[in-house]
Each structure stands twice: as structure tokens, then as C-alpha cells.
Amino acid sequence: MNRIFLSPPYMGGGEQKYISEAFESNWIAPLGPNVTAFEREVSELLSVPYPLALSSGTAAIHLALKYLGVGQGDIVLCSSFTFIGSCGAAAFEKAGLAFVDSEPETWNMSPRALEKALAYYDGIGKRPKAVIVVDLYGQSADWDGLLPVCARYGVPVIEDAAEALGASYKGRMCGSFGDVGALSFNGNKLVTTSGGGMTLCHTKEQYDRLLFWATQAKEPLPHYEHREIGYNYRLSNICAGIGRGQLEILPEKLRRRKAIFERYKAAFEGTPVRVMPVSDQGIPNCWLTAVTLDDSAGVTPAEICGHMNTLNIETRPAWKPMHAQPVFADCKAFPHNDDGSFFCETVFAHGLCLPSGDALTTEQQDMVVSEITRII
């Protein structure tokens, strides 16, 4: 059987038109009409005035941190329950990281744990330079709970919406909530450019500064002159063409992912499998359907992953929290629970991500459900 992947790319056909235009016009290098148009189309979708197309989501977060003045010895708070791309860029600027637990309602950053973290650093006179909040698995964080806490302590917010393009919170699109936002267009994302990302800027000054760093920090002189270090971070015109074609079918992609999520939810009703909660404050893009296993299931996520792999079906454990990663062993972490335990550790111990790609057929999904039910 052909392998059933977790979230493979899904092409609508229009992508080839923009790629062909890039070849025919010889706009192969970074920048070009597709890059400009892609930024404009994302701007219109998210109501963010100045998107900056980049080579990766990590690059987007790195430039956001740099813009906020993060440097050696500064503290950056980040959601613990996430992929390392959310926080690893802070190490580029030699910042110190501290991690914030998740809340049960959305699995996103807990406002209660964030309050604990900011109060702690306020108490020792070391205000964090930034908070990186992740919209996890395509569901918006609780922005009404998080933003007032950050404002009270005067700490700016980077919104990592890498997994959440097309999702919303109280009618406002994910990616638009932070002082700076970040998207990813990696191959497994809902909208892909094969590899790529975007920083979401709110002012022209912000956009111009990040653009300067993203293009090797070249001074406006006829010769190459550099007064600071920059980066080769811009997206290619070809990749941007793929992204434009993907945006054209975004509504279809959202419908497909929601249908897959709802079928899983209905199929596992009455079993020890619990589909991740969905807040009534927003609309998720259902990028991945994640579930947790009750203790009564009698199996672990790792055992299910091993079994499914023998059937050529890709499943994956939930994110291992960043505060539990060996590379961050010396970093502080702040729990949601009053007893000092971390909610995100519970999700990791019991969590599993299921195949959720746009092209997943009903028959393939039935096979996933039946095999998980059988092994339980």
C-alpha cells in the first residue's frame, strides 16, 4: 500500500501557472513578481499591511526577535508545547529561554502560567524582551487572556502562526495578533511553498528594517557596504508562485481538513480516544487532528505509532515539550497547574497526531480509525 502521510503537500493545479511564468520571464532568483503578489495576497487575507516573504518560518521568528532588540543574555518566553522552530531562533541571538505551560482548553499557552512567568521576572528585575505565543495545531491561542498580561508587564508579543494560516479568533485572522507575526510554508503546512515563511509586519518602518536584514544588510550605496550582519532570508520567485497557487485553493483546503477532523471526532466517540478540544472563541484550520488516549486504552502513543508504521501509515506523538528537551535542560519553565505539574507533559504522554492531509480519502481514514480501535 502507498504510504499514508501525516500532512503531505496537496496541489490544486494553479501552482504550475505561476511557476511557468517565472521560468518564461527568467525570474528564477529571489524576488520577482510572484514574491510581490504573494505578499499582497497574504496581506489581503490576514489584514496585515506589510508581510515579508522569507525562506523559512524560523527566519521569520529570528527577524522578529532581532527587531524587538533581543540580544545576548536577554530572556525570551515561549510556549513549551511546540516545535523547536518556535524558540530555537532565540539562540541565534544568544538569548536565554524560559518556557510557559499550556492550558487544557486549547493546548496553547496558559495565561495563568504566563502570569507566573512574568511576575517571577518582574520580581527579580529582569523583564523579558519578548513572548513567543504559538497557535498550536492550527488553533488560535486565547488572545484575550494573553495580550492583557503581556501589556501589563510591557512585554511585546511575537505570534507564531506557523501552523494556523486560515484560522481565526473572534473573527480576526491568526497571524495578526502579535507585535510581529510569523508564518511557515514548509512542505507539511496547509499552504506550502515547498519551503518558506513570512514575517507579518504592522508598519512600513518595521517592514523596511526586516527587509534590510533579510537581504544581507546591504547599505544603499553603489558598492557592497555592510555596517552590520544581515542574512540571505528572502523567498524565491518560484517558491512564491507555488504559494500563490496554494492560496487560491485555501477555502477548499480548510473544508477538507475540517471534514477530516469531524469524521475522526465522530468515529472515536465512545472510545478511549479523545480528539483535541476546540475553543468556541475561534475557528481552527484543522491542520492536524491530534488526539489523546485515556489510561483505559491500554496502549501508549508510541505503541500505536509503531503498529501503524508496519501498515505504512504515518502517525506521530504530540510535541515533546521544549522544557523537557535535553538542549534546554537548564532553562526555567512555568506550569499551568497549581501543584507544579505541567499540563503539556500530560498531553505529550498521551497525545498522538493522525493523518490529516487534504487528499486523505474516506477509505484511508476508515483504515486509520479501525486499526487504532483494533489495537486498543
Side-chain angles (χ1 to χ4, degrees):
M1 185 182 72
N2 291 332
R3 186 163 178 80
I4 299 175
F5 289 100
L6 203 66
S7 181
Y10 177 80
M11 300 291 108
E15 298 86 354
Q16 189 61 52
K17 174 184 69 173
Y18 298 111
I19 295 171
S20 297
E21 288 175 359
F23 273 88
E24 290 165 5
S25 62
N26 205 33
W27 279 105
I28 304 302
L31 307 183
N34 280 331
V35 175
T36 302
F38 189 39
E39 290 176 343
R40 182 184 67 249
E41 289 157 5
V42 171
S43 173
E44 293 168 354
L45 174 67
L46 303 185
S47 297
V48 175
Y50 298 104
L52 178 65
L54 301 169
S55 56
S56 71
T58 301
I61 293 173
H62 181 208
L63 292 184
L65 289 164
K66 191 173 177 68
Y67 179 78
L68 295 176
V70 173
Q72 187 167 0
D74 290 329
I75 296 297
V76 174
L77 301 179
C78 185
S79 304
S80 185
F81 192 46
T82 186
F83 176 62
I84 195 171
S86 300
C87 57
F92 300 171
E93 299 300 320
K94 298 181 171 57
L97 281 157
F99 296 103
V100 182
D101 197 9
S102 300
E103 61 173 9
E105 292 80 6
T106 65
W107 296 3
N108 281 300
M109 183 181 284
S110 159
R112 181 196 303 178
L114 177 61
E115 178 79 50
K116 293 177 186 177
L118 289 171
Y120 168 81
Y121 284 107
D122 185 64
I124 64 172
K126 192 171 178 63
R127 179 186 298 171
K129 273 293 187 72
V131 177
I132 303 172
V133 179
V134 180
D135 298 313
L136 188 81
Y137 292 140
Q139 175 162 229
S140 172
D142 177 12
W143 290 107
D144 281 355
L146 295 166
L147 289 177
V149 179
C150 294
R152 193 161 60 248
Y153 287 92
V155 181
V157 174
I158 297 170
E159 180 184 3
D160 178 0
E163 302 172 3
L165 182 63
S168 63
Y169 177 79
K170 294 187 175 180
R172 182 173 167 184
M173 301 301 287
C174 288
S176 67
F177 289 92
D179 294 276
V180 193
L183 298 174
S184 170
F185 303 118
N186 193 26
N188 64 356
K189 295 302 189 291
L190 195 67
V191 166
T192 181
T193 59
S194 76
M198 193 169 278
T199 303
L200 303 170
C201 304
H202 294 281
T203 68
K204 182 66 162 54
E205 180 275 332
Q206 192 180 62
Y207 175 89
D208 288 343
R209 194 65 188 150
L210 270 61
L211 175 60
F212 174 72
W213 286 324
T215 51
Q216 299 288 16
K218 292 178 287 191
E219 296 294 332
L221 294 168
H223 60 273
Y224 288 98
E225 183 157 333
H226 308 272
R227 298 174 187 174
E228 54 184 302
I229 297 297
Y231 312 92
N232 183 18
Y233 274 173
R234 283 293 255 159
L235 187 67
S236 85
N237 195 52
I238 294 174
C239 290
I242 298 172
R244 295 186 68 193
Q246 290 275 283
L247 286 180
E248 291 178 347
I249 60 168
L250 179 58
E252 176 189 350
K253 286 170 164 287
L254 292 169
R255 286 193 297 270
R256 286 172 176 265
R257 299 273 175 150
K258 182 178 180 181
I260 289 166
F261 178 91
E262 294 295 341
R263 285 200 298 267
Y264 275 131
K265 185 176 179 181
F268 288 125
E269 189 73 31
T271 76
V273 181
R274 303 277 176 261
V275 175
M276 69 176 291
V278 173
S279 168
D280 61 5
Q281 301 299 302
I283 301 174
N285 68 7
C286 301
W287 172 57
L288 287 182
T289 296
V291 302
T292 53
L293 306 175
D294 291 349
D295 290 336
S296 62
V299 292
T300 66
E303 289 170 333
I304 287 183
C305 287
H307 171 72
M308 300 299 273
N309 193 52
T310 65
L311 302 173
N312 219 15
I313 299 172
E314 182 184 21
T315 56
R316 193 169 292 176
W319 298 125
K320 181 176 181 179
M322 290 298 103
H323 73 265
Q325 297 286 352
V327 71
F328 298 128
D330 296 331
C331 297
K332 289 193 68 66
F334 298 86
H336 171 83
N337 298 323
D338 291 334
D339 64 3
S341 62
F342 286 81
F343 174 75
C344 63
E345 291 182 0
T346 300
V347 180
F348 170 60
H350 297 272
L352 186 69
C353 296
L354 305 181
S356 307
D358 300 337
L360 187 72
T361 66
T362 302
E363 292 75 21
Q364 288 173 325
Q365 191 171 6
D366 288 344
M367 180 185 300
V368 172
V369 170
S370 66
E371 286 299 326
I372 290 175
T373 306
R374 186 173 68 83
I375 192 173
I376 289 174

